[in-house]
Amino acid sequence: MCRRLSLSSELFLIIVFLSAFLAPLFSRILRMPVPVGELIFGILIGNFFVGIQVPEILNFLSDFGFLLLMFLAGLELDFNLIEKADKKQNAVYISYVLLIFLSAFVFGILLGIGTAPAIILSLISLGLMVATLKDMSVLEEPFAKKVLLIGVFGEIISLLALTLMEKLLHFHGFVSLIKELGVIFVFFFSFFLGFYLTRLLVWWYPEIVNRLTYEEDPSALGIRLSLFLMFTSSIFAKLAGIESVLGAFMAGVVFSYFIREKKDLEEKLSSIGYGFLIPIFFIKTGMGMEVAGLNLAILFKVFIFLAFMLFVRLIPSFVLLLAGFSLKDSFTAGLLLSYPFTLMVAGIEIARRGGALDEETALALFLTAAFSSLVFPWSAKIILSRR
C-alpha cells in the first residue's frame, strides 16, 4: 500500500502546477498522449497526498479549463469538409455514426452495461485522431479527409448524445422529458439564430469585420469574442437546465460554422488552453480517481469496455463500403474513431455529477479512456504504415 502524505495547500498548488509542466515531458518519454499523462499525474497526486483542502483557485481553473476544452472541441470542427463532400457520402457517414450509437445502445442493454456508460463509450472526438494522422503524415490524403469528415459528424452527434444523456439522468416521466428536450431545442436554435443575425449585422458593417480579423489587435479581439461566446452560451445553457460545458461545446460548434477562417484564433486559444488551463482540468480529474480499490474485477470491466468501444464501431463499418471504402479502410476508420479521450472524460464528469455512475464504473471508464488512447492509436499507426 502506498504511503499517503499531507502538506499545506500552498505547496499542494505548486505540485499541481509543476505536474502540469512535467506532464508533456513524461508523456513524450513514454510515447503517450499528453492528456493521458496529465490524468496519470492527477491520479498520483490524489492518491499520495491526503488531508488537503483543495484551494478554490484550483477548482476555478479546473472548471475554466473544462469549459475551454469543450469550446475547443466544437471549434475544431471543419464544416468546409461537409460542404465539399458529396451529399451521398455525407448521408453514409451520418448513417455510420448513428449506427455506432444505436449498436452501443442495443448491446449496452444486452450486456447490462447501462445507458450512460454505453453513450460514453460510443462518443467520437477529433483531437487525438487528428494527432495520429498528423504523426503519420497522411492528414492530406483522401482517406484521412474522409475519416475526418466522419469525425466531424461524430462530434456533432456526440454533442446531442451527451445532451440527451444529461437529460435522461434527471428523467421524471415521458412528458417531462419531452418538455426538457423542447427547451434544449429552443436553446440551440436561439443560439444559432442569434449568431446568424449577428453575422448579418457584421456583413452590413464591414469595418467591424476588419476589427475581428485581427488587423489591429490580433491577440485580443478574437480571444475576447471567443471567451464571451463561450461564457455566454455556458450561462444560458445553465439557465435552460443544460450542463454549462455542453453550452460551451455548442458555442464552439456555432463559431466554427460561421467563422471558417479561424486557424490563427484556434492556435492562440489552444496555446492558452492546452498550455495551462486544460492540463489543470485533467490533473484535477485524475485527483478524484481513488485507485486504492483497484482490483481484477475493475480491470476485467476495462477489458470489456475496450472491446465494446471497438466492437460498436467495427460492426456498422460495412456501411462505409457504400462510400467507396475498402474493407481494410473501413476497419482502419473504426480504429481511428475508437479513442475519444477528451469527450469521454467530459462525458464521465457529466455522468458523475448526475449520479449515473458509481465510483467503480467511473474508474473503469477513466482507465478505458486512458488505455484506448494508448492501444488504438498504436494499432492504427501500424495499419497506416502498411497502406
Side-chain angles (χ1 to χ4, degrees):
M1 181 179 293
C2 296
R3 182 188 176 190
R4 292 173 175 253
L5 302 175
S6 179
L7 70 166
S8 67
S9 58
E10 291 80 9
L11 184 57
F12 180 73
L13 271 178
I14 293 175
I15 290 175
V16 171
F17 295 149
L18 180 62
S19 298
F21 170 71
L22 295 176
L25 305 176
F26 170 79
S27 303
R28 193 172 296 114
I29 291 172
L30 296 183
R31 296 181 177 275
M32 65 172 62
V34 174
V36 178
E38 291 160 354
L39 194 69
I40 291 174
F41 266 87
I43 293 172
L44 293 174
I45 292 172
N47 286 271
F48 274 91
F49 301 103
V50 70
I52 300 169
Q53 183 177 0
V54 177
E56 191 59 35
I57 183 63
L58 189 62
N59 291 323
F60 168 76
L61 292 174
S62 175
D63 290 341
F64 193 176
F66 196 7
L67 288 176
L68 194 52
L69 172 69
M70 296 300 284
F71 181 79
L72 287 171
L75 192 64
E76 70 188 4
L77 297 180
D78 188 353
F79 287 94
N80 290 321
L81 288 174
I82 297 177
E83 294 180 351
K84 292 177 182 177
D86 181 81
K87 291 184 178 180
K88 179 184 175 182
Q89 284 187 332
N90 287 346
V92 171
Y93 298 155
I94 293 172
S95 299
Y96 170 61
V97 174
L98 291 175
L99 283 172
I100 289 176
F101 282 92
L102 179 61
S103 301
F105 180 75
V106 172
F107 287 108
I109 293 175
L110 293 176
L111 297 175
I113 288 178
T115 302
I119 291 176
I120 291 168
L121 291 169
S122 55
L123 296 173
I124 293 173
S125 178
L126 288 169
L128 294 182
M129 182 182 71
V130 172
T132 302
L133 295 172
K134 280 184 178 179
D135 191 46
M136 295 300 296
S137 301
V138 297
L139 195 57
E140 298 302 319
E141 292 186 7
F143 168 74
K145 290 184 177 180
K146 291 179 181 179
V147 179
L148 285 174
L149 184 53
I150 297 173
V152 170
F153 289 122
E155 277 210 2
I156 295 172
I157 294 174
S158 292
L159 166 63
L160 300 176
L162 283 173
T163 305
L164 180 61
M165 181 188 75
E166 196 269 338
K167 288 290 111 184
L168 288 174
L169 296 181
H170 308 287
F171 181 74
H172 298 297
F174 184 74
V175 175
S176 175
L177 178 63
I178 294 299
K179 288 182 179 179
E180 292 195 8
L181 291 178
V183 171
I184 292 171
F185 173 79
V186 171
F187 166 74
F188 285 157
F189 178 78
S190 300
F191 188 81
F192 185 89
L193 181 62
F195 208 106
Y196 177 73
L197 293 175
T198 301
R199 194 181 73 155
L200 285 181
L201 289 174
V202 171
W203 186 80
W204 283 103
Y205 297 95
E207 66 274 9
I208 298 178
V209 177
N210 293 331
R211 294 285 297 173
L212 295 179
T213 51
Y214 322 120
E215 291 181 0
E216 289 189 23
D217 192 354
S219 63
L221 288 177
I223 292 175
R224 289 180 184 182
L225 174 62
S226 300
L227 295 181
F228 166 75
L229 289 173
M230 182 187 77
F231 283 118
T232 301
S233 180
S234 300
I235 292 169
F236 279 110
K238 197 69 175 177
L239 293 174
I242 308 170
E243 277 283 344
S244 57
V245 292
L246 295 178
F249 191 9
M250 180 62 185
V253 172
V254 173
F255 192 96
S256 182
Y257 178 80
F258 286 109
I259 309 297
R260 301 301 175 86
E261 299 299 325
K262 60 183 189 299
K263 184 177 180 181
D264 291 342
L265 175 62
E266 193 172 0
E267 289 177 353
K268 291 180 176 69
L269 287 172
S270 294
S271 297
I272 297 171
Y274 289 103
F276 180 66
L277 291 168
I278 295 173
I280 298 300
F281 164 69
F282 283 125
I283 291 172
K284 176 72 166 42
T285 300
M287 287 164 49
M289 297 170 60
E290 179 61 64
V291 297
L294 187 62
N295 52 46
L296 289 177
I298 294 178
L299 292 177
F300 179 71
K301 187 176 284 189
V302 171
F303 174 78
I304 295 298
F305 285 167
L306 286 169
F308 184 90
M309 288 180 69
L310 192 57
F311 182 75
V312 298
R313 287 164 173 80
L314 294 184
I315 290 300
S317 64
F318 70 90
V319 174
L320 296 177
L321 298 176
L322 300 175
F325 279 65
S326 66
L327 283 174
K328 182 179 179 180
D329 285 347
S330 298
F331 176 84
T332 307
L335 200 57
L336 285 166
L337 295 166
S338 296
Y339 44 99
F341 182 84
T342 53
L343 280 193
M344 272 193 74
V345 172
I348 296 167
E349 281 295 295
I350 291 172
R352 285 178 72 186
R353 294 177 183 182
L357 297 177
D358 56 63
E359 288 305 313
E360 182 178 297
T361 303
L363 177 58
L365 285 170
F366 274 126
L367 292 175
T368 301
F371 283 125
S372 67
S373 300
L374 298 174
V375 177
F376 294 148
W378 175 75
S379 302
K381 286 180 180 180
I382 292 177
I383 296 175
L384 288 171
S385 66
R386 297 178 180 177
R387 281 177 58 82

